[in-house]
Amino acid sequence: MPAGEVRQQSEHRNEGPRTNPYAEPAAFAAARRRASEDPGGFHGDIAIEEMHFYEPSLGAWIRRSERGFEAIRPDGSIDHPQLGEAFRPWREAFDASEAPFYRWFAGALTNACFNEVDRHIALGHGDETAFFFEGDRWDPTAQNGRGAPLQSLRISRRRLLLEVAKASLVLQRLGLRHGDRVVLNLPNILPQIYYTEAAKRLGIIYTPVFGGLSAKTVSDRLEDLGARAIVTADGGYRNAQIVPYKDVYTDPALDGFRPVRTLRGRAQEVLSELAPALVEQLLAALDEGFAGEITLAPEDAMRIFGRALDNAGRDLPSDRRSALRRRAATAFSAPAQRVDAVLVVRHTRQEIPWRPERDVWANELEAQALHDILAAAAAAGFPAASESELLALPDRDLLQVIWAVSAPLPVEANFPLFAIYTSGSTGKPKGVVHVHGYVGGLSHTMRAAFGASPADDVIYVIADPGWITGQ
């Protein structure tokens, strides 16, 4: 990490908490009491200040600030509409009508990517650091033998906006739209962040999968989420070794396993020549064997099929059972199209197997995306013939260009943002869904738990994005 820059931003660290609204015991007790008695009012007051919501009547993103309501317009300009102190963009702050399935800020529109990326540019903070990034390779000879990362970068908020916009255009070029799902199975590299934010921007639901989990895990989560695409990499680095992500995780996940629903359908076709009552018995035995599984390797499915035949179909002649096994083995082994596309980030640059019918290089589509953004800049009359010239534009001008080709999509505050899966310690992994309104809680937590001040403080994160702490 560029230590000098971090130190410069952190010289005031001995001042103590500066943004925590509950630093005093009395304030904390009062907040707990109000949160219990009036959860909608308590959390609503937090959300309207922490988050921007999209207000259709204004065609702008709004939040309450020290000067009343602040509105960010489509051209990136900011004004302060007179909405009244009691105005709220939601129908109901805390909807408990279908408890325990609670809804927060029901009816309000927002977007997590706008809140995490765009609004900082609109507010003139494009030059601020969004990320200090340290790569996953280490140079033990650097700094007089103390060692240092081979790659150490500062990513500005303006650079983050541009990279996220390019990634969002890539996802759109793959045919992904609002409500579609995507799996991210990447090493700890910056494209992991760019494609995560791009999915949020488009209202695409994503799940991040930790890079050390098995191909079966990737397969199950891909199927459970109903993903149309997977974003992976040629490889990553771990302990000075190259881990070939696509070879080890993605391709085996897609080619080595079949969805249980597909296997059952194929089994039913194989058994269709039998008497209906026997077919029903055999399918019930298969369902018992398949219980709890999302996807299975064909050989595992065959063992379950064989046991079903030996039990429920034991009265069939042996040659008939053998013929059914042969047909089932052929059916279970037949390919199944699992996704529309595999987007591959070029990172380690080693040779990898390639499936042209589904594999696409991310860098090639990103180059096309940059071309589209530069064309939008030219159409708007901004002098930007290269990526560096784009990044040299004033914040508001850059925002206008980006929004011309990739504006953040307003979605209902309760619309799914991502699913993070449990590790499986309870038997089988379970997908826990977070929604777009969740980011308001994150923002407030940075103040309440860390006393963090925007632009001044740096948080050190080593968690993989495949875990909730990484998110």
Side-chain angles (χ1 to χ4, degrees):
M1 181 179 291
E5 188 166 356
V6 175
R7 191 177 304 113
Q8 183 179 8
Q9 293 193 359
S10 308
E11 289 175 348
H12 63 277
R13 200 55 58 85
N14 59 359
E15 296 174 7
R18 289 151 291 117
T19 63
N20 183 358
Y22 317 120
E24 297 300 323
F28 181 72
R32 283 189 62 125
R33 186 164 53 252
R34 186 177 178 223
S36 176
E37 296 171 354
D38 180 18
F42 176 77
H43 292 288
D45 285 350
I46 290 172
I48 198 63
E49 293 184 356
E50 296 288 356
M51 297 173 60
H52 278 79
F53 292 87
Y54 184 77
E55 178 51 44
S57 65
L58 298 174
W61 299 86
I62 65 165
R63 77 175 181 99
R64 191 172 66 190
S65 68
E66 298 81 1
R67 297 176 55 189
F69 278 91
E70 168 188 276
I72 299 176
R73 302 288 180 176
D75 63 356
S77 63
I78 297 174
D79 58 35
H80 299 274
Q82 300 301 309
L83 295 174
E85 179 67 22
F87 176 82
R88 296 292 183 272
W90 47 77
R91 181 180 65 255
E92 191 169 3
F94 178 56
D95 181 357
S97 60
E98 298 182 28
F101 302 104
Y102 302 108
R103 294 166 61 84
W104 291 93
F105 322 126
L109 300 175
T110 189
N111 182 285
C113 182
F114 175 87
N115 279 282
E116 294 167 357
V117 181
D118 298 66
R119 67 169 172 175
H120 302 294
I121 313 300
L123 295 170
H125 304 308
D127 281 332
E128 286 181 3
T129 300
F131 291 99
F132 293 109
F133 175 77
E134 293 185 350
D136 43 13
R137 285 183 294 168
W138 188 257
D139 179 4
T141 65
Q143 299 192 83
N144 296 320
R146 289 187 300 165
L150 282 174
Q151 185 183 35
S152 182
L153 302 174
R154 170 193 174 273
I155 305 299
S156 68
R157 296 190 186 280
R158 192 181 292 117
R159 163 68 73 178
L160 178 61
L161 173 67
L162 177 58
E163 295 298 338
V164 169
K166 288 194 291 186
S168 71
L169 291 175
V170 169
L171 294 181
Q172 288 178 299
R173 196 175 291 271
L174 295 179
L176 298 175
R177 298 292 182 268
H178 175 224
D180 285 339
R181 293 90 188 272
V182 65
V183 168
L184 304 174
N185 185 218
L186 288 159
N188 290 338
I189 54 177
L190 284 166
Q192 170 103 247
I193 295 168
Y194 302 151
Y195 281 99
T196 294
E197 290 294 340
K200 297 176 184 182
R201 189 175 197 82
L202 300 172
I204 294 170
I205 305 159
Y206 70 94
T207 189
V209 182
F210 169 59
L213 298 180
S214 68
K216 173 71 159 63
T217 301
V218 177
S219 174
D220 283 352
R221 296 182 186 188
L222 186 150
E223 181 65 21
D224 190 62
L225 193 70
R228 288 187 55 199
I230 183 167
V231 184
T232 188
D234 52 0
Y237 297 98
R238 189 171 297 146
N239 297 329
Q241 294 181 327
I242 292 178
V243 178
Y245 268 63
K246 185 174 180 291
D247 286 12
V248 173
Y249 304 122
T250 304
D251 287 343
L254 294 173
D255 301 329
F257 299 89
R258 306 286 182 269
V260 163
R261 58 186 176 85
T262 299
L263 293 168
R264 191 187 191 281
R266 292 177 178 180
Q268 190 167 5
E269 291 179 11
V270 168
L271 298 171
S272 61
E273 64 186 47
L274 302 177
L278 180 55
V279 171
E280 187 174 337
Q281 285 182 314
L282 288 166
L283 289 177
L286 275 180
D287 290 339
E288 184 178 351
F290 289 164
E293 297 290 351
I294 300 172
T295 65
L296 280 169
E299 57 269 25
D300 293 329
M302 273 306 301
R303 280 192 285 271
I304 296 170
F305 184 85
R307 285 198 299 269
L309 275 180
D310 290 340
N311 295 321
R314 59 184 174 274
D315 293 334
L316 289 171
S318 59
D319 60 339
R320 190 81 179 279
R321 292 203 301 271
S322 296
L324 290 170
R325 281 192 177 91
R326 288 194 298 271
R327 289 181 56 195
T330 301
F332 291 172
S333 298
Q337 182 176 347
R338 304 285 306 280
V339 294
D340 296 337
V342 174
L343 185 68
V344 187
V345 173
R346 194 189 300 276
H347 180 50
T348 53
R349 298 181 178 274
Q350 82 275 15
E351 291 292 326
I352 57 173
W354 197 254
R355 296 279 295 274
E357 73 276 12
R358 74 182 183 202
D359 297 345
V360 185
W361 283 114
N363 62 300
E364 294 178 359
L365 295 188
E366 288 163 10
Q368 296 175 29
L370 177 60
H371 179 271
D372 293 343
I373 296 171
L374 291 171
F382 296 118
S386 66
E387 187 170 87
S388 60
E389 290 179 355
L390 265 179
L391 291 170
L393 291 174
D395 285 351
R396 186 181 297 179
D397 293 349
L398 177 62
L399 200 63
Q400 273 190 266
V401 170
I402 296 301
W403 282 7
V405 293
S406 176
L409 177 71
V411 297
E412 211 269 343
N414 292 276
F415 189 78
L417 176 62
F418 66 91
I420 197 85
Y421 282 79
T422 65
S423 63
S425 58
T426 56
K428 289 292 177 183
K430 299 172 180 64
V432 180
V433 177
H434 292 70
V435 299
H436 279 254
Y438 149 85
V439 300
L442 288 185
S443 179
H444 190 67
T445 296
M446 291 303 297
R447 303 182 197 279
F450 297 97
S453 174
D456 293 327
D457 290 310
V458 177
I459 184 169
Y460 179 46
V461 180
I462 59 171
D464 189 283
W467 309 119
I468 189 62
T469 43
Q471 288 297 310

